[in-house]
């Protein structure tokens, strides 16, 4: 069996496990799995263009635009002018959005630790 195929299957399985883990963490909050991942990227990258977010996430720009708009309406994301390109804008977490993100990070880290322990044996 090809090692490339095995690697692809491993990535797929890890993706499934990670998706379930994040879904369990965000369950009961107003934040979706995609939004939580997006908040993490924005927290790590700082103010960022939607084009960069689309590139990093692989989300279609229309889907990403809808997510940004939904999160803006909840007061968790803000748009700022892009000094490098007047046709574009930057997305950043609002202070409230950063609080929402941090509130989910702690249970996410705890869930990840539980997963590590279960895999170790």
């Amino acid at each position: 069996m090809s090692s490339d195929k095995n690697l692809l299957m491993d990535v797929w399985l890890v993706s499934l496990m990670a998706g379930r883990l994040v879904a369990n963490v965000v369950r009961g909050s107003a934040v979706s799995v995609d939004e939580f991942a997006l908040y993490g990227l924005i927290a790590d990258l700082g103010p960022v263009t939607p084009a960069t977010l689309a590139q990093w996430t692989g989300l279609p720009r229309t889907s990403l635009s809808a997510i940004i708009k939904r999160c803006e309406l909840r007061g968790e994301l803000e748009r700022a002018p892009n000094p490098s390109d007047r046709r574009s804008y930057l997305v950043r977490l609002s202070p409230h959005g950063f609080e929402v993100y941090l509130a989910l990070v702690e249970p996410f880290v705890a869930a990840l630790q539980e997963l590590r322990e279960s895999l170790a044996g």
Side-chain angles (χ1 to χ4, degrees):
M1 189 177 308
S2 165
S3 63
D4 290 338
K5 179 183 176 198
N6 289 342
L7 176 62
L8 184 59
M9 293 305 298
D10 289 347
V11 169
W12 177 74
L13 288 170
V14 169
S15 175
L16 285 177
M17 291 174 68
R20 286 189 203 117
L21 178 72
V22 176
N24 287 336
V25 168
V26 300
R27 185 173 287 121
S29 77
V31 177
S32 72
V33 171
D34 289 342
E35 292 165 356
F36 179 68
L38 200 64
Y39 287 9
L41 271 177
I42 295 169
D44 290 344
L45 299 174
V48 62
T49 65
T52 300
L53 289 172
Q55 180 181 7
W56 276 81
T57 62
L59 288 169
R61 289 186 185 209
T62 53
S63 299
L64 186 59
S65 178
I67 292 170
I68 290 170
K69 183 175 229 80
R70 187 171 56 242
C71 297
E72 275 185 300
L73 290 172
R74 290 198 311 256
E76 296 165 1
L77 289 182
E78 300 173 335
R79 293 180 193 221
N82 183 349
S84 302
D85 182 354
R86 292 183 6 200
R87 297 167 295 161
S88 178
Y89 61 93
L90 299 173
V91 179
R92 63 182 175 215
L93 287 170
S94 68
H96 172 64
F98 196 69
E99 288 174 9
V100 167
Y101 173 67
L102 288 180
L104 291 170
V105 167
E106 187 175 328
F108 177 76
V109 170
L112 189 56
Q113 183 58 36
E114 287 178 32
L115 177 63
R116 283 186 185 127
E117 290 169 6
S118 71
L119 292 174

